[in-house]
């Protein structure tokens, strides 16, 4: 018995590329033959049989195969410089490919928002000759990928960023950090709050925000608890939606106490209700300073009317637009989500409300004081915090 012929291992991209070359009408005959040689060799056909099939001598077939083994598909299909067609892609051709890749396909008449490698290669093949880059009319997906990787371009991916829409972002951030800096000076080396002096104005500082859209979800069947046969809680995929609730919460940054209000909505009415909770909680002679975002309900006409009845009682330090990360209560909300809301199932919406209040009770048994550290060393604590008391209706 004769020895079994060796094969070459073509990738899926290479195989598709060679088959495309075989079908193309504008490709030179020698390129079609060479593509056929590689495809036949990948099937394990012997060199002599390939030579008979393509009408070439054995030496030419071996040369084509060796060129593939040395440098890949394009090295095998196209002659090197000085011997006819140049297999190298020029910088101008690469720049044209990158320019196409840096455009949205939807702007070039396609339905897609971002490129796939197949769609990008198809577009390049179709319009290369028209653009004066005939060589690129047969470029493969793998070669396009290599060119984009070398340029560090990823047109198939989307990364998100936040546009700075607040011209006073830096100033507002500085003001918030100034609040945190002055707070840090109210604690001693052991982390204990230093009491206010008898003649000193007491200011309670709270970080406040809302967490709307908390879903009350019920199981359709009871969970199965872990046992000898099941390592985890087992839950049926189906569930029922019972509605949503909103959590309004503040963290006292001097004591760590978390103060909740759970309602169906978070309009001006609920916000004012929360302010009333704070008003009844702290001594009448003290001031209450809230760090919060500039949501419309925080400065609405209804809110201003209430604040006008409490002159000098409340002060507000607003975070800049898209600066919610500056608000310490956001860390508390993340903790709440991880520890209590994740995977929660209830039988009624009221049960969800009561369990949230229970969580706050548990947290307040051993309150944690939240401290801000980022960039505090750059802040001069002797500056004066800019506050807004909101007693006057803004002009339209």
């Amino acid at each position: 018995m004769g020895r079994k012929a060796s094969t070459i291992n073509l990738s899926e991209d290479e195989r598709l590329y060679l088959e495309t070359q075989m079908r193309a009408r504008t490709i030179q005959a020698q390129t079609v033959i060479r593509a056929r040689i590689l495809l036949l060799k990948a099937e394990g056909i012997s060199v002599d049989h390939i030579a008979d099939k393509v009408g070439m001598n054995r030496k030419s077939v071996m040369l084509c195969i060796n060129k593939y083994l040395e440098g890949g598909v394009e090295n095998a299909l196209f002659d090197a410089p000085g011997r006819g067609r140049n297999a190298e892609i020029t910088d101008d051709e690469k720049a044209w490919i990158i320019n196409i890749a840096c455009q949205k396909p939807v702007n070039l008449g396609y339905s897609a928002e971002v490129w796939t490698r197949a769609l990008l290669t198809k577009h390049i093949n179709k319009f290369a000759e028209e653009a004066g880059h005939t060589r690129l009319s047969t470029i493969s997906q793998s070669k396009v990928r290599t060119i984009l990787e070398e340029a560090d371009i990823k047109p198939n991916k989307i990364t998100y960023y936040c546009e700075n829409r607040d011209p006073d972002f830096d100033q507002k951030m500085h003001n918030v950090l100034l609040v945190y800096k002055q707070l840090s000076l109210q604690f001693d080396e052991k982390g204990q709050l230093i009491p206010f002096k008898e003649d000193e104005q007491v200011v309670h500082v709270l970080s406040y925000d809302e967490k709307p859209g908390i879903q009350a979800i019920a199981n359709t069947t009871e969970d199965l608890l872990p046992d000898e046969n099941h390592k985890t809680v087992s839950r049926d995929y189906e569930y029922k939606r019972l509605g949503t609730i909103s959590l309004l919460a503040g963290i006292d940054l001097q004591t760590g106490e978390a103060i909740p209000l759970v309602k169906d909505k978070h309009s001006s009415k609920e916000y004012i209700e929360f302010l009333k909770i704070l008003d009844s909680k702290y001594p009448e002679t003290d001031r209450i300073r809230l760090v919060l975002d500039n949501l419309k309900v925080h400065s609405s006409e209804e809110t201003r009317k209430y604040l006008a009845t409490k002159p000098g009682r409340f002060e507000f330090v607003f975070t800049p637009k898209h600066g919610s990360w500056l608000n310490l209560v956001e860390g508390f909300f993340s903790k709440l989500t991880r520890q209590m809301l994740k995977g929660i199932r209830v039988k009624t919406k009221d049960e969800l409300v009561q369990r949230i209040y229970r969580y706050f009770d548990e947290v307040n048994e051993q309150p944690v004081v939240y401290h801000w550290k980022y960039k505090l060393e750059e802040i001069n604590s002797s500056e004066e915090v800019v506050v807004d008391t909101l007693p006057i209706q803004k002009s339209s």
Side-chain angles (χ1 to χ4, degrees):
M1 292 179 65
R3 188 175 60 181
K4 184 178 180 181
S6 62
T7 63
I8 58 176
N9 296 316
L10 297 174
S11 68
E12 187 63 25
D13 281 350
E14 288 176 332
R15 187 179 295 277
L16 291 173
Y17 176 53
L18 292 172
E19 291 173 351
T20 301
Q21 298 282 9
M22 294 274 293
R23 294 193 296 268
R25 298 180 180 180
T26 58
I27 301 301
Q28 294 181 1
Q30 68 174 8
T31 303
V32 175
I33 292 173
R34 292 172 181 176
R36 189 181 179 199
I37 289 172
L38 297 179
L39 288 170
L40 289 171
K41 192 58 184 171
E43 296 175 3
I45 307 299
S46 70
V47 172
D48 290 332
H49 286 162
I50 293 174
D52 289 339
K53 286 179 177 291
V54 300
M56 296 179 68
N57 60 52
R58 191 178 191 279
K59 183 177 179 180
S60 296
V61 172
M62 284 298 303
L63 179 62
C64 177
I65 295 171
N66 288 334
K67 287 178 68 177
Y68 168 79
L69 295 174
E70 292 171 1
V73 169
E74 301 213 356
N75 187 55
L77 296 186
F78 306 114
D79 292 326
R83 298 195 60 195
R85 187 171 187 172
N86 187 352
E88 295 297 322
I89 296 177
T90 67
D91 289 342
D92 285 345
E93 290 170 334
K94 290 180 180 179
W96 183 74
I97 291 174
I98 292 170
N99 178 58
I100 296 296
C102 290
Q103 300 179 55
K104 282 189 174 184
V106 66
N107 295 334
L108 297 175
Y110 300 99
S111 60
E113 180 71 9
V114 295
W115 292 107
T116 62
R117 196 160 68 241
L119 179 60
L120 179 58
T121 304
K122 178 182 177 182
H123 180 88
I124 291 169
N125 293 160
K126 182 176 181 180
F127 293 99
E129 188 171 356
E130 179 183 315
H133 304 298
T134 305
R135 162 73 182 85
L136 300 181
S137 62
T138 58
I139 192 171
S140 66
Q141 287 187 34
S142 59
K143 188 63 178 179
V144 170
R145 178 183 61 189
T146 300
I147 291 171
L148 296 180
E149 287 178 349
E150 290 175 351
D152 198 20
I153 300 294
K154 300 179 176 67
N156 60 314
K157 294 186 177 181
I158 297 175
T159 57
Y160 291 87
Y161 73 100
C162 185
E163 181 72 20
N164 187 355
R165 296 181 175 87
D166 192 334
D168 301 320
F169 187 97
D170 290 339
Q171 179 182 342
K172 291 178 180 178
M173 180 176 72
H174 180 86
N175 196 44
V176 173
L177 296 186
L178 180 56
V179 173
Y180 296 154
K181 179 71 171 184
Q182 293 179 354
L183 267 171
S184 67
L185 300 177
Q186 295 181 20
F187 293 86
D188 61 24
E189 294 180 354
K190 296 181 179 180
Q192 299 299 313
L193 184 65
I194 301 172
F196 285 91
K197 298 177 182 178
E198 290 185 7
D199 58 345
E200 188 177 1
Q201 172 69 66
V202 177
V203 180
H204 303 276
V205 184
L206 295 98
S207 174
Y208 168 84
D209 202 3
E210 297 95 359
K211 186 174 178 62
I214 302 174
Q215 290 198 58
I217 298 176
N219 282 336
T220 54
T221 56
E222 292 293 329
D223 288 341
L224 302 178
L225 301 181
D227 55 25
E228 64 274 9
N229 298 319
H230 301 89
K231 298 180 181 180
T232 66
V233 174
S234 299
R235 174 174 289 170
D236 187 72
Y237 284 103
E238 293 190 7
Y239 57 87
K240 294 188 295 184
R241 298 179 188 272
L242 306 176
T244 60
I245 58 174
S246 292
L247 169 64
L248 295 76
I251 305 295
D252 188 316
L253 300 182
Q254 287 140 321
T255 66
E257 182 181 358
I259 306 163
L261 176 64
V262 184
K263 291 288 181 179
D264 287 336
K265 300 185 298 181
H266 61 290
S267 64
S268 296
K269 179 182 177 182
E270 287 74 31
Y271 175 59
I272 292 170
E273 185 176 345
F274 186 85
L275 294 180
K276 290 179 178 179
I277 291 174
L278 299 183
D279 183 51
S280 63
K281 179 177 180 61
Y282 297 105
E284 293 182 0
T285 56
D286 297 350
R287 280 187 289 158
I288 303 170
R289 178 177 294 172
L290 275 75
V291 177
L292 70 172
D293 61 32
N294 202 355
L295 192 67
K296 187 176 180 180
V297 298
H298 299 161
S299 56
S300 66
E301 181 178 358
E302 189 176 356
T303 298
R304 290 173 181 276
K305 286 181 178 179
Y306 167 72
L307 294 174
T309 68
K310 298 288 180 179
R313 178 64 160 160
F314 291 95
E315 297 176 348
F316 304 96
V317 178
F318 292 109
T319 59
K321 291 181 179 177
H322 302 296
S324 60
W325 53 274
L326 287 166
N327 204 342
L328 281 167
V329 75
E330 295 295 338
F332 176 83
F333 282 160
S334 296
K335 182 180 177 181
L336 165 73
T337 301
R338 294 192 308 270
Q339 293 185 344
M340 182 253 174
L341 293 178
K342 183 179 179 181
I344 192 169
R345 292 292 188 268
V346 293
K347 292 181 171 60
T348 64
K349 191 161 71 170
D350 183 64
E351 181 189 340
L352 176 60
V353 173
Q354 296 308 316
R355 287 175 66 175
I356 290 175
Y357 279 126
R358 192 187 312 162
Y359 175 81
F360 275 77
D361 290 339
E362 293 168 355
V363 166
N364 288 331
E365 288 176 2
Q366 293 182 311
V368 176
V369 178
Y370 287 74
H371 296 285
W372 185 277
K373 297 180 180 180
Y374 178 66
K375 286 192 173 183
L376 278 197
E377 69 278 0
E378 302 174 10
I379 304 298
N380 182 0
S381 62
S382 64
E383 297 179 52
E384 185 176 348
V385 175
V386 179
V387 297
D388 194 339
T389 55
L390 296 178
I392 302 173
Q393 176 64 47
K394 291 181 180 178
S395 57
S396 58

